């Protein structure tokens, strides 16, 4: 499932899961929620780019055309449509990994669009945990695993096979817990999600 690449520095691509329809937010697509005057998808892409990802694949689902029209995304972003986005995060993760599989990429740094409290510092820390195409790492917040998650290319096929519903890579990570390198990010990021109307107060 993975492409090949020439020798050189590791190529780590950002994989942003931004397809959610915001069901608990009254059907407001998360990618378009505004934070500091701009859509969340712009902030998440900027964090991945500043964290060291030159290429960022953004998986869209709900209101995909509106995201294309409203979001100002930099060169190096690849927009990936997930027609099955309503089936949950697992389908978006599969779509994103499939889009990366034909590129010369060594690892995917997976982030969620609805976590604006996770910025470049956390992205860079987890990306720095890369050591091979078999790498498996994740941010840790006071000992609790969270995002972003680094998936070496040799793991993509198995991750995609296990991804279902809203669990994303959760089942795979649970099964490979001893192999995960945890990178503490609690002092540089806040891993809250924008899931409910009450969470909107965190957006400015």
């Amino acid at each position: 499932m993975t492409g090949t690449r020439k020798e050189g520095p590791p190529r780590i691509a950002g994989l942003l899961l931004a397809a959610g329809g915001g069901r608990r937010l009254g059907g407001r697509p998360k990618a378009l929620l505004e934070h500091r005057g701009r859509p969340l998808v712009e902030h998440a892409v900027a964090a991945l780019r500043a964290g060291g990802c030159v290429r960022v694949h953004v998986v869209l689902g709900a209101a995909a055309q509106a995201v294309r029209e409203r979001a100002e995304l930099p060169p190096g972003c690849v927009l990936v449509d997930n027609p099955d986005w309503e089936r949950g995060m697992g389908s978006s993760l599969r779509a994103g990994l499939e889009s990366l599989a034909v590129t010369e990429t060594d690892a995917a740094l997976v982030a969620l669009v609805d976590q604006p409290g996770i910025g470049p510092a956390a992205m860079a820390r987890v990306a720095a945990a890369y050591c091979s195409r078999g790498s498996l790492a994740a941010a840790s917040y006071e000992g609790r695993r969270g995002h972003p998650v680094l998936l070496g290319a040799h793991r993509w096929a198995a991750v995609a096979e296990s991804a279902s519903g809203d669990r994303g890579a959760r089942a795979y990570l649970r099964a490979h817990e001893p192999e995960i390198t945890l990178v503490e990010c609690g002092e540089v990021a806040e891993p809250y999600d924008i899931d409910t109307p009450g969470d909107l107060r965190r957006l400015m």
Side-chain angles (χ1 to χ4, degrees), residues 84-100:
D84 297 322
W85 66 269
E86 291 182 282
R87 295 186 179 182
M89 190 188 303
S91 66
S92 290
L93 181 58
R94 288 195 302 273
L97 291 176
E98 287 172 7
S99 73
L100 283 171

Side-chain angles (χ1 to χ4, degrees), residues 3-90:
T4 58
R5 60 175 290 272
K6 298 176 182 178
E7 292 301 319
R11 298 183 185 182
I12 300 174
L15 177 52
L16 180 62
L17 305 185
R23 178 176 50 83
R24 287 184 286 174
L25 292 167
R28 298 171 62 185
K30 291 186 176 183
L32 291 175
L33 292 175
E34 287 202 359
H35 180 50
R36 299 175 182 170
R38 300 304 305 168
L40 278 183
V41 66
E42 290 184 16
H43 292 280
V45 166
L48 284 163
R49 290 287 297 269
C53 298
V54 175
R55 175 192 294 270
V56 178
H57 284 217
V58 182
V59 182
L60 302 178
Q65 186 56 39
V67 175
R68 282 181 161 84
E69 293 171 354
R70 300 180 198 174
E72 297 178 5
L73 301 176
C77 280
V78 176
L79 301 183
V80 180
D81 285 310
N82 173 20
D84 297 322
W85 66 269
E86 291 182 282
R87 295 186 179 182
M89 190 188 303

Side-chain angles (χ1 to χ4, degrees), residues 82-149:
N82 173 20
D84 297 322
W85 66 269
E86 291 182 282
R87 295 186 179 182
M89 190 188 303
S91 66
S92 290
L93 181 58
R94 288 195 302 273
L97 291 176
E98 287 172 7
S99 73
L100 283 171
V102 297
T103 68
E104 296 183 345
T105 301
D106 295 309
L109 187 63
V110 184
L112 307 181
V113 76
D114 67 343
Q115 294 189 316
I118 299 178
M123 303 296 189
R125 282 192 184 185
V126 178
Y130 176 88
C131 58
S132 75
R133 286 187 141 213
S135 291
L136 186 61
S140 175
Y141 300 92
E142 296 183 354
R144 184 174 181 179
R145 190 180 73 242
H147 284 84
V149 174

